[in-house]
Amino acid sequence: MRRLLAGRPWVWSFAAAAAVWLAAIGYTGGTGAGGMLTAALSLAAFTVIVGIGQMFVITLGPGNVDLSLPANIGLSSAIAMTVMNGSDSRVALGLLAAVAAGLGVGLANYGLIRALRIPPIIATLSASFIIQSIDISYGRGLQIKPPDGFARVVGWQFAGVPLLAVGTVAFAALAAVVLHRTVFGRSVLAIGQNMRAAHLAGLRVERVRLATYALCGGLGGLDGALLAGYFRGANVDLGNEYLLSSIAVVVIGGTSVAGGRANVAGVWGGALFLVLLLTMLNTFGVSAGVRLLLTGLIIVGVVTAAGGPKAA
Amino acid sequence: MTQANKAGRILRTLLPTLSLALVMAGIAYLNPRAISYFGFTLMLNLAVPIALATMAQMFVIAGNDLDLSIGPFVGFVCCVAATLLRTSPALGSLVLLGGVGVYVALGALIHLRNLPSIVVTLGMSFVWQGMAILVLPAPGGRAPDWLQALMRIKPPLVPFPVVAAVLIAFCGYVGLMRTSYGAVLRGAGGNPAALRRAGWSLLRVKMTLFGLCGALGVLAGLALVGITTSGDANIGNGYTLLSIAGVILGGGEFVGGRVSPTGAVIGALTLAMAASPLLTFMRIPPDWQVAANGVILITVLAARVLISRRREAM
Amino acid sequence: MPFITLEGVEKSFGAVRALNGVDLEIAPGECVGIVGHNGAGKSTLMSVLAGGLAPDGGRLRVDGAAQALSPGRAKALGIRCVFQELSLCPNLTVAENTRILHPSVRRFGWRRRAGRLILDRLDEIFPGHGITPSDLVADLSIGRRQMVEIARAFTETAERARLVILDEPTSSLDATTAGQLLAHVRRAVAGGMSCVLISHILGEILTASDRIVVMRDGAVVRAADAAAWDRAGLVATMGGVAGETERAARRLDTEQRPVRVRLAGGGGIELVAREGEIVGLAGLAGHGQTALLLAAFAAEGQRAAFVAGDRQSDGVFPEWSIAQNIGVRSMAGPLISTRRERAVADTWRTRIGIRTGDVADSILTLSGGNQQKALFARALASDAEIVLMDDPMRGVDYGTKLEVYGLIAEEARQGRTFLWYTTEAEELQNCDRAYVFRDGAIVAHLAGDEMTEERVIHSSFAADH
């Protein structure tokens, strides 16, 4: 059992997710177990979409992280709703617009990082301030609801399994293939291990970085549109919790913060764990303060138990 | 090669000062009356807690780590100070010391288990936030009188925040750049393997760096609550990113153990002035005030890059 | 009474037996030279001696008493080590780095004392070094850094330095500085200190050592006084190829071949490399050769492949397997086939002679020389017409070198162009032509019989009024 866990930290995350789920339904005596899982799968899916984008960015190497995600999600949700304008025929256009906005954010981030040589943490943080302001003034008083068909599809489930979750699992599988078997994915992993060596090995370092930040932005845009559909409306604060959770699920899932080593399955495990953890705490009826405290302690605990990379 | 690098380095050290001068020039242009004893005291009001928090973050960054929980920790300290410290000083002091102890333990944990500090401190930010809410569920309480009095000191000629900033910078500079153990602390950030081979305890180093961060975080919280006079669990939340920005503005780097205590304090002062006073004087509408923070940060950093590039071309 | 005795020391890393029962004695006042193939166990042995690794079996005695060493304990006993990977903190000054080695240098005035300490030693070992204690290590060239590290190992405060281990100490030094170091080693040894010298430059070992120990496959094969050894004997005992067969200077008529690379040399001499040529870049270390290679890399883009000399910072991807490291230059879409990647790696494993059980293992399981071979394979496995080599044989054993020289010659025969920066003048024998660098510019163009060490040195030091 230990050998199974040692080489595969992401197994931990799934095991932990199962544990909290069992704890929660144990408390309720088994009622609502199915509903809990269904809701968790949907909410986790949203985290996975941006988590995978964040995973690619983090894998680029130490210091690479996208802090503009929440602002991105907020703005994209507003753009999606505006473009869709409540009509199902415009759903595709709205999604496209949201993804395009996200791509724009990603490109802007990269522009700051590259042209102005600002560290990614600061660059994406500064960008998020600006995007937030754009969203505030653009989305002022926005009351547009998502088109009915769109909202229904986003929330659709069959036998308790949300379509969104199924789609996201497929997406994750695709992402894993891209990461390990395409030139782009391998380049990201190489750059994260040793940027100079990657350059000398003939890899197009800057082009790959550009694509990675754009990808992360685009996924943020997509998530914004989907979230607006699920929660029936755009909102500046729609993405706030995804800042920390997008990073947390990536790391809990076994991706190295130092870069160069990524794990896609673990993103799902981490997302399920985080969502079910919150569900469990809500079930126990704990106060906000205790909830935050326990969430934090458990995150620290999980990471400590998994341990970091063995010293070179 | 040494000469060119040396010149480049001197310029990089000067850049934080130049950024500060730029911001001050902007303020002077927009509102000349702000450049006065009273004006500075007002504008640099929050500079002391920001400078302390930035110094705290600097120690962690010197060890190639990052503390994403310093903001909520400062908030927690504020809440404790506004309640326990006033009602039962002994218990309150114990709790604050315990906070520093937790930081030291974190440093040990991160080293022993080789954990990524970003994630661990991320988790801790939830912990401190939660504890702050438990101590003070709603904004209120009152800071101890002696704290309030301390933060209201009016030294002659030079505004208190400036005096405090100089003192903080001096202590940081001497502690990290001049002492023999300071060299060890920085060396651990530059080449930890070398330190280990030379027989130094990297565990001790990590615990010291994090302990210093915690101690300075406590001071930052105390200073903050002395200024605001009452506590609020969310008051410190912006300090995480402010402190990181301050260290980077001051010429510090995330890896390699290259940080500058004086630069960090100057960076903190620059941010303190740019964050609010400058914006108010520029009459930016509230919707765009948030953006202005980002623009200012980008502008200052871009200026840094442009100046170094022109220097390199020369 | 010997200072240090190793009795049957064993050390394994997983399935790899790095040390297989090593017996070694080091007496005070002697310099022991250790030679061996890569993978012979020399670096592992040094780590054990310096307290960085605990042996799995056997015993280590210091002054007769059995010891379990840690880095601190070894230092306290007077054992100093200059590893191949430098142990300086680039963000600290030379004086501060000296303090790192001496915890007793503290309190008021420590910086001045540390500076005095290192400066005195630098003056003693490397006169004319041009280094000041307040220099930031990051600003120093790699040669100067190595000088600082070596001098630091010889500094003494409360703790005396009784044994100084030097692992490839001259790899970044030029001939003059290397000579100064070896002279100092003799002086120190005459004064009672012990020294262990590991070097692939057999000439250095023969002149500087009192006794020479040959290691192979994790054990000592033969130990004898230096006088009893000669170059051929050392090579033969190491198990390497003793022949000098590949040394016949290449004579090619390449004037008619198409030009592949044309670069300005900074001093009026243009660098030209044609199809199928092996062009050497020579001269003192750090005089612009690497910069030219990087310029060629930038200019030629996908037509050129780079073989790094500094594996750790420029070459190896530590998270990946050997196969992935080899295949990284040759990746093509849309999907990379792991099976094909492994097959290519296997082909090269045989062709270039990488000693490993399975190319799917982590690259870090390979010894240094074999990692270097993997980096070669990476460049050669690609479709690049031009191969740029940045002193890649640094610290690589003789047997590996011969294997790679053969491969380079074969690849050149098939039309590849090689630009080869080397700090060992005899490697130039493998080249068709050589350009000598001085102060960042090409100052001489040698061909055929002209490519001797004397001519290279002559061009490197040509006086300018």
Side-chain angles (χ1 to χ4, degrees):
Chain A
M1 177 69 164
R2 170 168 297 186
R3 241 186 326 113
L4 181 70
L5 291 177
R8 304 182 172 79
W10 57 266
V11 176
W12 249 109
S13 54
F14 280 104
V20 278
W21 179 61
L22 289 171
I25 62 177
Y27 188 79
T28 66
T31 52
M36 212 180 281
L37 257 187
T38 305
L41 280 170
S42 287
L43 293 174
F46 290 119
T47 317
V48 168
I49 293 174
V50 285
I52 286 180
Q54 192 74 273
M55 179 196 79
F56 273 97
V57 170
I58 289 179
T59 305
L60 275 180
N64 280 288
V65 69
D66 186 356
L67 296 181
S68 67
L69 220 43
N72 185 358
I73 291 175
L75 181 63
S76 309
S77 70
I79 290 179
M81 291 300 98
T82 315
V83 171
M84 285 186 197
N85 209 8
S87 108
D88 276 328
S89 57
R90 291 168 64 87
V91 167
L93 201 63
L95 282 174
L96 219 68
V99 171
L103 280 173
V105 169
L107 289 173
N109 281 333
Y110 181 71
L112 286 176
I113 293 169
R114 177 94 168 113
L116 295 185
R117 298 206 278 183
I118 302 177
I121 291 186
I122 308 277
T124 53
L125 172 67
S126 315
S128 85
F129 287 142
I130 298 176
I131 297 163
Q132 219 180 330
S133 278
I134 297 176
D135 190 20
I136 292 175
S137 65
Y138 174 76
R140 182 167 287 282
L142 205 63
Q143 293 280 9
I144 304 182
K145 294 278 163 252
D148 272 331
F150 179 57
R152 242 180 304 126
V153 167
V154 173
W156 196 72
Q157 18 160 307
F158 181 75
V161 178
L163 178 66
L164 188 64
V166 172
T168 311
V169 169
F171 171 64
L174 180 68
V177 170
V178 167
L179 179 70
H180 295 294
R181 302 277 302 278
T182 62
V183 179
F184 167 68
R186 286 280 184 101
S187 300
V188 172
L189 289 167
I191 294 168
Q193 291 175 65
N194 190 335
M195 186 145 95
R196 183 165 163 78
H199 170 70
L200 291 172
L203 299 177
R204 303 282 241 264
V205 172
E206 290 309 324
R207 214 173 278 190
V208 170
R209 291 181 81 201
L210 173 79
T212 309
Y213 276 95
L215 172 71
C216 187
L219 287 173
L222 177 66
D223 220 28
L226 292 173
L227 279 166
Y230 191 81
F231 288 108
R232 310 218 168 233
N235 190 339
V236 168
D237 296 319
L238 202 55
N240 279 357
E241 64 186 87
Y242 291 97
L243 177 59
L244 299 177
S245 59
S246 68
I247 300 174
V249 302
V250 167
V251 180
I252 290 176
T255 299
S256 166
V257 180
R261 201 175 37 168
N263 192 299
V264 180
V267 179
W268 253 113
L272 279 173
F273 169 65
L274 267 187
V275 171
L276 284 170
L277 177 67
L278 235 79
T279 314
M280 178 190 86
L281 292 175
N282 277 330
T283 312
F284 290 173
V286 299
S287 74
V290 177
R291 190 172 4 113
L292 284 165
L293 180 60
L294 283 179
T295 309
L297 283 177
I298 290 179
I299 289 181
V300 176
V302 168
V303 176
T304 307
K310 300 300 154 237
Chain B
M1 181 163 70
T2 311
Q3 284 295 60
N5 269 7
K6 231 180 211 163
R9 184 152 308 108
I10 291 174
L11 206 70
R12 270 178 68 97
T13 336
L14 282 173
L15 279 167
T17 321
L18 286 171
S19 313
L20 184 65
L22 208 75
V23 172
M24 284 214 289
I27 290 178
Y29 175 70
L30 294 166
N31 190 348
R33 270 180 306 181
I35 309 295
S36 63
Y37 183 94
F38 183 63
F40 272 122
T41 310
L42 215 59
M43 285 193 297
L44 292 176
N45 196 349
L46 289 175
V48 177
I50 293 177
L52 286 164
T54 307
M55 192 67 83
Q57 184 74 257
M58 182 201 74
F59 279 109
V60 169
I61 289 181
N64 297 335
D65 287 311
L66 208 58
D67 181 9
L68 294 181
S69 68
I70 190 75
F73 181 65
V74 168
F76 168 70
V77 171
C78 280
C79 294
V80 170
T83 54
L84 280 178
L85 205 57
R86 169 169 268 266
T87 55
S88 37
L91 183 61
S93 311
L94 216 65
V95 170
L96 292 180
L97 263 151
V100 180
V102 170
Y103 259 89
V104 173
L106 272 177
L109 193 68
I110 287 175
H111 174 77
L112 290 171
R113 295 289 293 166
N114 202 11
L115 302 176
S117 55
I118 287 188
V119 184
V120 174
T121 54
L122 206 68
M124 286 309 294
S125 70
F126 285 108
V127 171
W128 295 125
Q129 185 82 69
M131 303 234 314
I133 293 180
L134 287 175
V135 167
L136 194 64
R142 229 164 87 85
D145 293 325
W146 56 270
L147 255 181
Q148 297 189 37
L150 176 67
M151 299 309 292
R152 286 214 201 97
I153 293 181
K154 297 244 186 306
L157 287 179
V158 188
F160 173 69
V162 177
V163 172
V166 169
L167 196 65
I168 297 167
F170 182 72
C171 291
Y173 175 71
V174 168
L176 193 62
M177 310 298 284
R178 301 303 300 180
T179 62
S180 53
Y181 197 58
V184 175
L185 291 176
R186 283 180 291 129
N191 190 344
L195 273 270
R196 204 185 322 127
R197 279 197 217 124
W200 291 95
S201 162
L202 286 176
L203 174 65
R204 226 25 162 26
V205 166
K206 201 63 101 181
M207 287 167 71
T208 308
L209 288 172
F210 272 83
L212 283 167
C213 177
L216 284 161
V218 167
L219 291 177
L222 291 177
L224 183 57
V225 82
I227 295 171
T228 60
T229 72
S230 68
D232 178 354
N234 288 311
I235 198 169
N237 287 354
Y239 277 60
T240 304
L241 298 165
L242 266 179
S243 60
I244 296 175
V247 174
I248 299 300
L249 265 178
E253 289 167 34
F254 285 110
V255 282
R258 278 174 258 256
V259 292
S260 163
T262 40
V265 171
I266 294 176
L269 289 178
T270 312
L271 284 174
M273 285 209 287
S276 192
L278 185 61
L279 296 185
T280 319
F281 296 148
M282 286 170 77
R283 298 187 206 280
I284 310 274
D287 276 358
W288 291 95
Q289 284 228 352
V290 179
N293 273 321
V295 170
I296 288 169
L297 207 53
I298 293 174
T299 313
V300 174
L301 288 175
R304 173 166 100 161
V305 168
L306 287 173
I307 296 181
S308 352
R309 250 190 228 157
R310 201 177 307 144
R311 181 70 200 176
E312 273 164 40
M314 279 207 285
Chain C
M1 143 91 89
F3 173 38
I4 295 187
T5 318
L6 293 164
E7 298 165 1
V9 170
E10 294 171 354
K11 181 72 186 172
S12 300
F13 298 104
V16 180
R17 216 119 207 266
L19 296 179
N20 211 348
V22 173
D23 297 308
L24 184 67
E25 264 183 22
I26 303 171
E30 79 165 341
C31 175
V32 177
I34 302 188
V35 295
H37 247 298
N38 253 81
K42 306 182 299 295
S43 289
T44 313
L45 188 64
M46 294 311 107
S47 291
V48 168
L49 263 179
L53 283 176
D56 298 327
R59 208 173 327 210
L60 189 150
R61 292 185 194 280
V62 179
D63 290 328
Q67 297 276 358
L69 291 183
S70 66
R73 184 108 192 86
K75 201 151 73 74
L77 290 169
I79 302 173
R80 308 285 179 80
C81 191
V82 180
F83 289 95
Q84 252 183 303
E85 327 85 60
L86 295 186
S87 285
L88 295 176
C89 301
N91 59 325
L92 299 182
T93 65
V94 170
E96 288 169 340
N97 268 289
T98 311
R99 195 268 150 159
I100 298 289
L101 197 67
H102 297 285
S104 59
V105 178
R106 40 206 266 262
R107 300 278 151 76
F108 200 68
W110 66 270
R111 198 181 291 265
R112 214 175 327 117
R113 270 179 285 138
R116 190 75 270 154
L117 211 58
I118 189 74
L119 198 59
D120 285 345
R121 205 53 96 203
L122 277 169
D123 289 335
E124 184 186 338
I125 307 179
F126 302 112
H129 53 83
I131 302 169
T132 61
S134 58
D135 283 339
L136 207 66
V137 167
D139 293 339
L140 297 176
S141 64
I142 191 163
R144 285 208 163 135
R145 291 193 209 186
Q146 194 160 39
M147 281 157 59
V148 169
E149 179 127 19
I150 292 169
R152 186 179 71 158
F154 281 98
T155 53
E156 295 177 305
T157 52
E159 303 166 333
R160 284 204 49 226
R162 295 182 64 193
L163 167 67
V164 175
I165 305 169
L166 299 167
D167 190 350
E168 301 291 346
T170 63
S171 56
S172 301
L173 303 178
D174 56 51
T176 323
T177 328
Q180 288 173 331
L181 170 63
L182 295 175
H184 181 79
V185 165
R186 295 310 311 164
R187 282 198 304 273
V189 153
M193 194 184 285
S194 308
C195 180
V196 169
L197 180 63
I198 303 175
S199 175
H200 287 303
I201 303 174
L202 299 179
E204 289 180 355
I205 295 275
L206 286 165
T207 47
S209 316
D210 296 303
R211 265 191 319 135
I212 302 181
V213 167
V214 177
M215 286 185 71
R216 193 164 78 204
D217 295 325
V220 171
V221 175
R222 196 175 154 225
D225 285 347
W229 289 100
D230 67 356
R231 205 183 183 106
L234 283 173
V235 172
T237 315
M238 273 194 276
V241 180
E244 312 248 332
T245 47
E246 290 300 309
R247 294 309 193 73
R250 289 162 54 87
R251 257 171 240 285
L252 285 177
D253 177 17
T254 55
E255 285 299 306
Q256 304 309 314
R257 305 250 190 98
V259 173
R260 283 254 178 86
V261 181
R262 195 189 287 273
L263 281 171
I269 302 181
E270 195 184 44
L271 182 142
V272 173
R274 298 195 158 78
E275 178 188 307
E277 281 195 315
I278 304 176
V279 174
L281 307 181
L284 294 175
H287 277 245
Q289 300 92 336
T290 306
L292 187 117
L293 286 176
L294 292 173
F297 185 67
E300 299 301 324
Q302 290 299 102
R303 295 205 309 159
F306 197 91
V307 181
D310 189 344
R311 298 187 276 285
Q312 251 149 338
S313 73
D314 296 349
V316 168
F317 294 110
E319 300 278 345
W320 277 354
S321 67
I322 302 167
Q324 286 169 321
N325 265 280
I326 292 179
V328 66
R329 177 79 175 75
S330 326
M331 296 190 295
L335 279 182
I336 298 170
S337 156
T338 18
R339 207 174 358 107
R340 200 169 341 125
E341 197 174 56
R342 211 168 286 188
V344 168
D346 269 323
T347 316
W348 281 98
R349 172 177 49 154
T350 327
R351 221 177 141 200
I352 203 171
I354 302 176
R355 279 161 195 79
T356 178
D358 186 356
V359 291
D361 287 341
S362 157
I363 186 102
L364 298 178
T365 60
L366 291 181
S367 68
N370 285 303
Q371 285 183 14
Q372 203 61 49
K373 282 183 177 173
L375 293 182
F376 264 108
R378 177 192 296 174
L380 297 174
S382 74
D383 56 2
E385 305 171 322
I386 306 163
V387 179
L388 308 165
M389 305 196 288
D390 187 17
D391 202 15
M393 304 298 196
R394 205 174 19 215
V396 172
D397 63 287
Y398 194 64
T400 305
K401 283 190 200 184
L402 285 184
E403 285 169 327
V404 177
Y405 295 164
L407 195 58
I408 293 175
E410 188 185 319
E411 288 283 324
R413 267 195 295 277
Q414 293 176 8
R416 267 199 159 125
T417 307
F418 287 84
L419 282 187
W420 187 351
Y421 164 39
T422 172
T423 48
E424 283 174 46
E426 43 181 53
E427 279 191 339
L428 291 176
Q429 296 307 313
N430 296 291
C431 304
D432 302 317
R433 292 178 291 113
Y435 291 94
V436 184
F437 282 72
R438 186 164 49 91
D439 295 322
I442 299 177
V443 294
H445 180 196
L446 309 173
D449 289 332
E450 297 173 322
M451 292 189 297
T452 61
E453 186 153 11
E454 286 85 347
R455 280 300 300 268
V456 171
I457 292 177
H458 174 80
S459 305
S460 308
F461 284 97
D464 251 332
H465 295 291

